[in-house]
Structure formats: structure tokens, C-alpha cells
Amino acid sequence: MSHDGTHHSGPHAKLIYMANQISKFMESKPTAEGIELFASHINDFWEPRMRRHLFEVIDAGGAGLRPLALDAARLIKRPAAQTV
Amino acid sequence: MKDFIIPDRDFGTPAAKSKQMVTLTIDGFDITVPEGTSIMRAAAEIGISVPKLCATDSVDAFGSCRLCLVEIEGRNGTPASCTTPVAPGLKVHTQNAKLKQLRRGVMELYISDHPLDCLTCSANGDCELQDMAGAVGLRDVRYEAIETHFKTKNTSGEANPHYIPRDDSNPYFSYDPQKCIVCSRCVRACEEVQGTFALTIEGRGFDSRVSFGARDDNALASDCVSCGACVAACPTATLQEKSIIEIGTPERSVITTCAYCGVGCSFKAEMRGDELVRMVPYKHGKANRGHSCVKGRFAYGYASHKDRILNPMIRDSINDPWQEVSWDEAMSFTAARMQGIIEKHGRHSVGVITSSRCTNEEAYLVQKLTRAVFMNNNTDTCARVCHSPTGYGLGQTLGTSAGTQDFDSVEETDVVIVIGANPTEGHPVFASRLKKRLRKGAKLIVIDPRRTDMVKSPHIKAEHHLALTPGTNVAIVTALAHTIVTEGLFDEAFIRDRCDWDEFQDYAEFASQPQNSPEAVQLLTGVKAEDVRAAARLYALGGNGSIYYGLGVTEHSQGSTTVLGIANLAMMTGNIGRPGVGVNPLRGQNNVQGSCDMGSFPHELPGYRHVKGEAVRDIFEKIWGVKIDDEPGLRIPNMLDAAVDGTFKGLYCQGEDILQSDPDTKHVAAGLAAMDCVIVHDLFLNETANYAHVFLPGSTFLEKDGTFTNAERRINRVRKVMAPRNGYADWEITQMLANAMGAGWTYTHPAQIMNEIAMTTPSFAGVTYELLEEKGSVQWPCNEKSPDGTPLMHVDGFVRGKGKFINTEYVATDEKTGPRFPLLLTTGRILSQYNVGAQTRRTANVVWHDEDVLEIHPHDAETRGIKEGDWVRLASRSGDTSLRATLTDRVNPGVVYTTFHHPDTQANVITTDYSDWATNCPEYKVTAVQISPSNGPSEWQTDYNAQATRSRRIAAAE
């Protein structure tokens, strides 16, 4: 969200925000189920470019991501290397 | 083109629904009909048309014209056959010397006060008075009326005080009182069919006149919503379409489907040559049952509007003027650009947006273009910005995103919850059917920030109006569930049978938590706890409970969660799987259901099957001869983000105006401006076309064959009634583009595309054009298991097996009011305009709504010094715009409301890019804003209009 000063800039800021939104919904479920559903949601709906940006955040320590989103990272499918 | 002989007889009175059958004899013929049938209708069923004037089968019998008299053996007198019900063993005579004489006498009196200008009358050839004069053998009128209603002057040359001149105030029909026989059909149609009560009979006896409300009201100034029901009911030239007056009577008619909202009304396009004379609602249309609204009935003039672009155009840069080119040139230019982008930036750098206004066959081809020719899954559709949360929410809980009922179901409902929908404006024909049921006793609960006409209008009133603060749907829906669970109002037998009881226990525990109680959420929602509790009790215990919802549910950052909550409510109360109940998303566009069914979403192949499924990909790979990408593609907002990011460069956008309809206009504009090839395929140079490099002119629904699927999953035929003015149907244009890029497609008729859909998509397996000819329409799933289609879903079990309860935790939107932006803006629609207005703004519908206005509560207006009609500046964190204000208590203090039909308003400059957590459906319905007095259009509006004007230049032909 460009108008929210607490976020990062560029494509990452929006993805962190979106991931946290999904995370908040999943947090009302039992932890294991929430983590699993978070990951499958991302795998099912996020295009590889978006997942690649998400992994850039995760690989840099995941600053800004809610804990459930970070915990789910191991279940998220890493996109194949960029192809042209 | 196909000419249809239509079984469209008028049976005089509505069909009776009783299962009890009665046998009687009419003119010596035995006939068996349901109890409650009129003698008139029973006679009509065996082909005997009793003469009539005031009776028509769209409204209840009235018995005023006395022309339909019959004799019944053993009974006294000559009762009216329209108001006399059948009884076992009756022996009825419809024609004998006495009846003939009586009828002639009645006709003589009618004709004595009617002008005899039949030859030049606009109803010549289509007048029931004329027909009946012939039917009763009227040969002479013995009375010389001293006073008439039709002579302008009396014999002394003085003005006739009974003469009322023609009322031409409505743009589409005229009211000519001198032709009126006061049969009351119009008044009854307005009451019974439309439910507006705009018409009345004023005066008594000879002074009785049809009147639009008060004596000095004309048609336009009255409550009339111009649905055309009165015009359809009128037996004479009194209420008549102006197009008939101008053109003459039609010579043939073709059944087709309206291209406006998701109700999907069936119409007869009545033609003379290739000129459309009028659109008349089709009595046997299963969605509309012979009714219509002002848009479908009258607002088709955009098809021949001068703004329509009829030749393809290209340009190198969006700063250049457009160049008109041949179709061949346009295709080679476009194919070369798109191929260039793919070579340079990869196959994922391009994508498509399918249209929810085009046919199923066209949407199927557009998604096939990206999947089989561009080789990616970057396809999305306008459902992204409306009902994508429905797809997610109902898919998770019930197993399919589809609405559960047909529209007929509303006739059997007892309690209706309308949440986040405004059917009298957005889905008017459904609203009329709902209001008809409400007038017969069903109860209504409206959950909406605004006091819509559903809350209170003539002869209907909601039991409960929960006027919640925008953005708190989840809190209200969960509070309803809390009440049902904690007060033990749930249907345990249904839950045990149809859902997982343990899962329900988990959900019940969640819903019962004190923070979900109506009392606890009262401060958030602004709705009194006792109202929420009373509404919950009514829904749970009031009989057949149905929920109808619209974009006020989905277009929130928790849109999907509210849909889950709605499904939870229906399941826990056992309101699924039979007539009169269900969960019914009211779809916005004519074919938004269809475009979703056809695989327009980036993660799903046709039939809602995820692209990760190998077996599903295999089906399409075999037929298409390509390898299908197994990763989900980009959704519209993601496409725009990727464009700004520099990795998405080319877009083919069919029949969709994302620049006007999508949120945060500045972001959309930036995304479009960053692309190297934007192809807009539309009727008009829409707002998105300002950023396009290729414009492909589209065809209207009158100019092509195909199918639309409405909100009840009904697949209706769209039939070509005239040749495309732009030269090609839209499916042909997509095929040309695909073939210019080497696809080698060879479709010659949309029926072949439907065959491919049926071959690949199980829920459409039984659908063919032949079947649609035979049945008129079918509701999917239509396959071996349900060869005639499926009116009701989840009858014996949920599509997903057991219904699934899912927790619906309320998370407040981050779009919050504060000192700078203290008010909440919510948006909606108005009856006369349709979405971004591209079509309706180019019709006479602008007389009802020629600009968007801001509704503001008088208290909020007063503290800001704003008066009725003032220009105000509307500002949010995203941007600002200016429009006129109107003061109303329809909205609560703290809430303002506007429509988004006019591009000048730019309401989406204000909306933010917050979106639904699950689907990225934008949060149109909540924006924190501030209002202040203003002198006129904002700087953005002025700049925008300058850019639009520059961008729409077309170079003169050389």
C-alpha cells in the first residue's frame, strides 16, 4: 500500500501485505491446519513471479511477514528459475 | 438467421398451480385443468378464445370489460369467464345468440367513445380493441356520444374538458389518453408484475382515467421506472413504444437474451427487415417470466450510436492519433507486436482479459488464446472485481461457486435475507419477483449500510434493516451465527446428515465466543444487538430461508470471509437443497457466471478445475495439441503490478473497461502506460482504449450467435438478428488474432465452440445448440446424470460431499477513518445505468441519471456547509474528484454513497487498492474520505479529460 508508511516499497510491500492478510484469516484455524492452508493458498493462487518476490522477502529474513506466513514458507512451492 | 414461430398465445388469466384436477365441458369438448383455473383459460387450452379486453395472462382477472361472458348450464346469468373458476362437471357455452348480442352491445359502447382512426393509428394491426370488434361482428355503432374523451373540441368549437393530450415525456413510450378504454391492464401490470404502483385509475364512472400518480404528474415525473410492463399489457395504442409509432409493426421476432445484468431475461427481438423495432420480454423466458426492466426493454440504442467504432485502428504510441486500417493490417500489426514481446520478455509477459459481456463461446476462445497460443495462464475477467470471493467462498464450503437456486425458487421462500445487494436497481426483474412474493407474505431482512428501496417502498417493508457500518459484514454475519448457535436455533438433523458434525462443533465453539455476540459487535457495526438477534431468529425459524447477496458482500477486504459466513448460516439452518431456500449470489454482468465457467480465471481451466491437475490439463492438451502451463497465471491487479514492475508487457482486453471499472485509477493507468501492446476489443473507444495501441471494433449481442449463462446457471441462447456492423462477430475476431499468431483454428459457428466446451467440461457435457433449441434453456450441470439440467443444487448431498463449516474471524479493514478522512464512502448502482455506462450513457436512459451524485446525510452536510446540488470535493488517501452532492437520510451520518456510471466522475480515483485477502477482489465498498465544498471538476478530472481527448483522435483518411 503506497499510502501506508509502515510498508516496504516496490513489489515486495504489496505482497507482504497480501500474505499477511491471508495469514490473518488462517490464524483462526488450528495452527498446523492454518500453516498448511496458507501454503496451499499461495501455491494455488500466486503466480510464480509473485512467489519469487515472496521468497526474496523470506530469504532475506522475512521482515514484515506474520509468523504464520514465515512458518508456512517451507510448504510453499519455489518457482522454477525464470525462463524466457 | 432463423425465424421462429412462437407459441405466445394469451390465455387470458395466469396458470393455476393446484395439483387437484377438474374436468368440465366447454362447447361440448371435455377439458381437464388444475383447480383454480378460470373458464377463460380452460377454454383457451382447447383452442377456444373467448372475446376479452381487460384480461391478459400476465395479471390476475379483473372482470371489468364484460366481453368474456359465457353461459353455464344450470346457473343464472352470464358470468365473466375470466373471474369464474372451473368446477367439476360444468357445461359451459361460449357462443350463442344471447352472448353474441350482449357482446356486440358492450363493444358498441366501447367504440362510441373511441376514435375511429384505425388506418393511421400506431396500433393498427396490433390492437385488441380492433380484433375484438371484428371477433364480435360489430357492424354498426348506434350511439352518437355527446361527451367523449377523444374529441379535442365539442360541436360548438369549445375545448373538450375530457380531452387529455398525449404524454410524450418518457423517452421510450407514449401515453395517449384518447385511445384508452380504461381496462386497468396497465395499472394491474404496474402493481402485480413490476410492483411499483406508479399508475392508478383516477375518478369514477365516465371520469375514470389512467393516471401516473398525482393529477399533474406525467410519466417521467412519476414513480414510473419505465419497465414497459404497462406497455406490454395495453391492448390499444394508449401506451405504446415510440419505436412502433416511428417505424410501424414488426414482421418477425427472434428469441434472444438481454446483454445487461445477470438476471438474463429472455426477449423477443421484433424486427422489420434488419431494423430492430422493439424488444419485448418473452413470456416463456424462465428467468424473467415475461417481465423486463428499462435497460433490456428499451436501452438498446447504443448498438447504432454514432460513437460506435466500426473499423480496426492501430498506432505505434498512445500519444499518436489512431489510424484506421483493414482487418488484415490490424491483425498482422497486432500479431507482430505480441510475438515481439513474447520473444523479448518471455511467454509470461502477455495475457488476456475475457469479457463478462461477451458469450460463453467468446470467453472460451479468449482464455484458449492465452493458454494455447500465448502458452501461459494469464487470463482474468471482470469477475475478479465482483464475484471472485463467491467462487472462493462457496467453492470451499459447498463445493461449487454456483448459486444454488433458480429464480422461480423465490416464489416459495418465507424469509429472505438481502445482504449487500440492491436488487431494485441492480437486478430489477428479480426484484419484481421478490417483491411479488413479499406482498404475499414472505418476510424480509435487509443488511445494507443504506436504506435501499427494498427496505421500504410501496406495499413492502423489511422486518429488519440492519444498517451496518461499511466493512463490518463479517461481524454481523458471525453475530447472526452466534445467535443461532447459542440459542439452539440450528437444524441438528440437517447438519448431522449433510455436514460433518464434529466440524460444526468446532465452528459452533468459535461462533459462541463472547466477542462474536451481537452485543459485543454492536459498537463496530452500529447495529443494535436486539435487531441482530431478532433477525437471526426470524431467518432460522421462519420457514424456507433464502439469502440473496451482491457486491456489497464481496467487494471488501474480507469479501471471501463473508461468503463463507453466508454459507455457514444456510447450512446450520438447513436452508439448502430445496425450493425456496439457498445461497444466491446476484451476478452483475449478463455473462459473468459464464465467463467464470469458461476458465477465465488464471488458476482454473473451464469447469473450475485447477491448472495443477494433470488429468485436467491432459484433456485440453490432447484437443488443443499444446502443453499447458501448470502454474497459476496473473490476476488483473497482479498483471498491473507486474506491468509497473516491467515484466508484463502485452494485454488483449475484450469487452472490459478496466481503467474505469477497476480501483485506484492512477495505478491502473500507470500499469497500462507501462505496456508495449494493449489491444482493446470493444464497441466504443472506452477509457482503457486511451492507453491502447490496437482497437478492434466489437459486435453487439444483436449481431452474433452464442450463449450467456445467468446468475441461476441458466444457459440461454443469444441469437443473431442482424449482420455485425463492424463486419465480424467477436469470436471471429479472436480467431483471426489467434490465427495471425499461427493457431490454425477453424471454427465456423459458435455451436462448434460449444461442442468443444461440452467435450472438455463435465458440467457442460450434455449442452448442445440442438438441446437449447428444444428446451429453450438449461441450467448446468447438464450431463448424463442430469440431461435436462439442474434447477436446484445440493439436493441430495453437497457437491463437495459434506458441507464444510469454516471459521469467520472478523478482521477490520485497514481502510480506516481518521481525522483527515472521517467519512466512509460506499458505492453502488442505479436502475437506469449499467456499470461503467458505456452502453446506457449512449441511450435516452440519461434522462433519469446524467451524472453521478454523492449522497450525504444532512448532518454531515451541515457541518461542512454543503447544500443540495453543491459541487463537492471528494478526497481519499488515493486521490480526489469532484461531483454534486444530494442530501438524504438514506445513508447514516458518517457514510456517503455514490454510483460509478460516468467516467467524468472518476469514482475509482478515490477507491484504494486494498483487496479481498483470498481473491484480490478490490475493496470498492469502503473508502475513508473527506468532503469539502468545491467550485467544479478537480485538477485530475481536467487533466484526465485532456489526455482522453488527445488519445481519442483519429487521423483523417488520406
Side-chain angles (χ1 to χ4, degrees), chain B residues 40-81:
Chain B
M40 175 181 280
R41 190 176 177 103
E45 304 240 342
I46 48 172
I48 296 171
S49 300
V50 181
K52 64 179 183 61
L53 281 170
C54 74
T56 185
D57 58 12
S58 63
V59 292
D60 287 340
F62 194 54
S64 82
C65 77
R66 312 316 290 177
L67 204 60
C68 69
L69 310 176
V70 291
E71 276 205 309
I72 301 171
E73 287 181 23
R75 287 197 190 175
N76 290 333
T78 50
S81 63

Side-chain angles (χ1 to χ4, degrees), chain B residues 190-219:
Chain B
C190 193
E191 287 179 14
E192 293 177 34
V193 179
Q194 165 56 28
T196 291
F197 297 78
L199 286 165
T200 186
I201 301 286
E202 185 193 276
R204 291 180 183 188
F206 187 76
D207 292 331
S208 303
R209 309 304 289 268
V210 169
S211 169
F212 283 92
R215 188 182 288 258
D216 53 354
D217 271 349
N218 62 21

Side-chain angles (χ1 to χ4, degrees), chain B residues 254-556:
Chain B
V254 182
I255 308 298
T256 192
T257 305
C258 179
Y260 282 115
C261 79
V263 177
C265 297
S266 297
F267 277 88
K268 290 192 291 183
E270 297 197 339
M271 308 294 297
R272 176 157 287 281
D274 69 349
E275 185 172 25
L276 178 59
V277 179
R278 65 177 170 186
M279 295 286 279
V280 182
Y282 182 43
K283 200 157 90 174
H284 305 290
K286 289 181 183 124
N288 55 318
R289 301 285 177 194
H291 191 36
S292 60
C293 81
V294 60
K295 295 191 283 288
R297 179 83 150 91
F298 296 117
Y300 49 80
Y302 67 87
S304 50
H305 195 274
K306 65 176 170 48
D307 286 355
R308 221 181 125 183
I309 304 289
L310 300 173
N311 296 304
M313 302 191 295
I314 57 171
R315 57 183 171 188
D316 265 324
S317 140
I318 61 167
N319 299 313
D320 296 338
W322 286 106
Q323 300 283 336
E324 283 193 356
V325 292
S326 69
W327 280 101
D328 280 348
E329 254 177 289
M331 288 304 161
S332 42
F333 176 90
T334 313
R337 275 226 167 181
M338 292 300 270
Q339 268 154 349
I341 293 172
I342 293 169
E343 274 159 33
K344 195 167 163 204
H345 300 280
R347 62 187 166 94
H348 293 113
S349 61
V350 293
V352 298
I353 296 178
T354 74
S355 178
S356 294
R357 297 183 185 176
C358 287
T359 63
N360 284 318
E361 293 76 2
E362 287 162 346
Y364 179 86
L365 285 196
V366 174
Q367 62 89 33
K368 180 172 174 177
L369 175 69
T370 213
R371 293 198 156 110
V373 181
F374 300 167
M375 307 300 291
N376 62 46
N377 286 312
N378 294 331
T379 169
D380 209 352
T381 189
C382 80
R384 176 64 51 211
V385 299
C386 65
H387 266 295
S388 51
T390 293
Y392 180 83
L394 298 187
Q396 295 282 313
T397 47
L398 312 179
T400 169
S401 62
T404 63
Q405 312 297 110
D406 56 8
F407 285 132
D408 284 351
S409 165
V410 77
E411 292 170 13
E412 295 179 54
T413 194
D414 299 310
V415 180
V416 185
I417 296 182
V418 173
I419 170 167
N422 192 359
T424 54
E425 309 288 334
H427 303 86
V429 169
F430 166 71
S432 289
R433 299 188 68 179
L434 170 60
K435 288 197 289 184
K436 191 170 188 170
R437 177 68 195 120
L438 295 174
R439 290 195 303 274
K440 287 185 177 153
K443 301 276 192 284
L444 175 67
I445 299 159
V446 175
I447 306 178
D448 199 294
R450 203 167 148 261
R451 193 181 70 239
T452 62
D453 282 352
M454 285 313 303
V455 175
K456 192 173 187 311
S457 55
H459 298 267
I460 59 155
K461 186 173 185 299
E463 296 296 304
H464 304 285
H465 175 209
L466 312 183
L468 76 180
T469 301
T472 59
N473 285 332
V474 170
I476 281 281
V477 167
T478 308
L480 289 169
H482 174 96
T483 308
I484 291 168
V485 169
T486 55
E487 297 188 9
L489 312 176
F490 52 87
D491 183 343
E492 182 172 338
F494 181 91
I495 299 167
R496 281 188 185 277
D497 182 33
R498 304 285 301 274
C499 307
D500 185 312
W501 181 251
D502 290 339
E503 251 172 29
F504 173 70
Q505 293 299 312
D506 292 344
Y507 180 74
E509 193 192 318
F510 162 79
S512 311
Q513 290 165 8
Q515 77 266 24
N516 291 323
S517 72
E519 290 72 19
V521 300
Q522 191 164 294
L523 273 179
L524 296 169
T525 63
V527 181
K528 280 192 204 133
E530 61 257 41
D531 289 349
V532 176
R533 286 192 181 270
R537 290 168 196 143
L538 178 61
Y539 173 68
L541 304 176
N544 284 342
S546 54
I547 303 177
Y548 291 85
Y549 72 91
L551 306 184
V553 159
T554 54
E555 288 174 349
H556 288 276

Side-chain angles (χ1 to χ4, degrees), chain B residues 11-293:
Chain B
F11 287 81
T13 63
K17 287 199 175 140
S18 173
K19 294 208 166 62
Q20 191 70 41
M21 300 304 279
V22 170
T23 300
L24 70 161
T25 308
I26 300 177
D27 293 342
F29 297 97
D30 283 347
I31 166 84
T32 303
V33 291
E35 190 175 27
T37 302
S38 69
I39 288 176
M40 175 181 280
R41 190 176 177 103
E45 304 240 342
I46 48 172
I48 296 171
S49 300
V50 181
K52 64 179 183 61
L53 281 170
C54 74
T56 185
D57 58 12
S58 63
V59 292
D60 287 340
F62 194 54
S64 82
C65 77
R66 312 316 290 177
L67 204 60
C68 69
L69 310 176
V70 291
E71 276 205 309
I72 301 171
E73 287 181 23
R75 287 197 190 175
N76 290 333
T78 50
S81 63
C82 63
T83 49
T84 309
V86 295
L90 288 188
K91 288 191 168 41
V92 179
H93 300 280
T94 71
Q95 180 82 342
N96 60 31
K98 183 178 171 189
L99 292 168
K100 284 196 278 189
Q101 196 192 3
L102 284 169
R103 286 192 193 126
R104 260 185 218 151
V106 170
M107 275 312 288
E108 237 179 314
L109 287 166
Y110 269 112
I111 298 300
S112 70
D113 191 12
H114 194 85
L116 296 177
D117 59 352
C118 292
L119 279 181
T120 53
C121 176
S122 57
N124 187 12
D126 185 24
C127 173
E128 293 181 37
L129 188 67
Q130 195 179 44
D131 296 345
M132 289 306 114
V136 304
L138 184 72
R139 300 291 172 252
D140 188 21
V141 177
R142 292 166 291 171
Y143 313 112
E144 175 72 34
I146 298 162
E147 282 192 297
T148 73
H149 293 102
F150 68 88
K151 288 184 183 150
T152 52
K153 291 186 172 127
N154 68 17
T155 44
S156 327
E158 292 159 343
N160 173 6
H162 300 296
Y163 174 80
I164 304 174
R166 193 163 90 175
D167 174 357
D168 278 322
S169 61
N170 184 293
Y172 298 119
F173 65 83
S174 66
Y175 166 49
D176 190 354
Q178 64 159 328
K179 300 280 169 82
C180 180
I181 59 170
V182 202
C183 64
S184 296
R185 272 159 68 160
C186 55
V187 176
R188 288 178 286 144
C190 193
E191 287 179 14
E192 293 177 34
V193 179
Q194 165 56 28
T196 291
F197 297 78
L199 286 165
T200 186
I201 301 286
E202 185 193 276
R204 291 180 183 188
F206 187 76
D207 292 331
S208 303
R209 309 304 289 268
V210 169
S211 169
F212 283 92
R215 188 182 288 258
D216 53 354
D217 271 349
N218 62 21
L220 193 63
S222 73
D223 287 345
C224 170
V225 292
S226 198
C227 68
C230 58
V231 180
C234 180
T236 68
T238 311
L239 285 157
Q240 183 128 56
E241 296 92 350
K242 286 183 176 173
S243 59
I244 293 274
I245 299 173
E246 280 154 22
I247 301 169
T249 47
E251 41 89 17
R252 73 198 151 91
S253 61
V254 182
I255 308 298
T256 192
T257 305
C258 179
Y260 282 115
C261 79
V263 177
C265 297
S266 297
F267 277 88
K268 290 192 291 183
E270 297 197 339
M271 308 294 297
R272 176 157 287 281
D274 69 349
E275 185 172 25
L276 178 59
V277 179
R278 65 177 170 186
M279 295 286 279
V280 182
Y282 182 43
K283 200 157 90 174
H284 305 290
K286 289 181 183 124
N288 55 318
R289 301 285 177 194
H291 191 36
S292 60
C293 81

Side-chain angles (χ1 to χ4, degrees), chain A residues 20-29 37, chain B residues 392 558 560-561 564 806-809 811 917:
Chain A
N20 286 344
Q21 261 187 301
I22 300 166
S23 175
K24 279 183 198 165
F25 177 81
M26 298 302 172
E27 285 160 23
S28 71
K29 295 171 181 297
L37 288 174
Chain B
Y392 180 83
Q558 275 201 293
S560 290
T561 316
L564 297 172
I806 298 176
N807 290 0
T808 51
E809 179 91 32
V811 179
W917 65 268

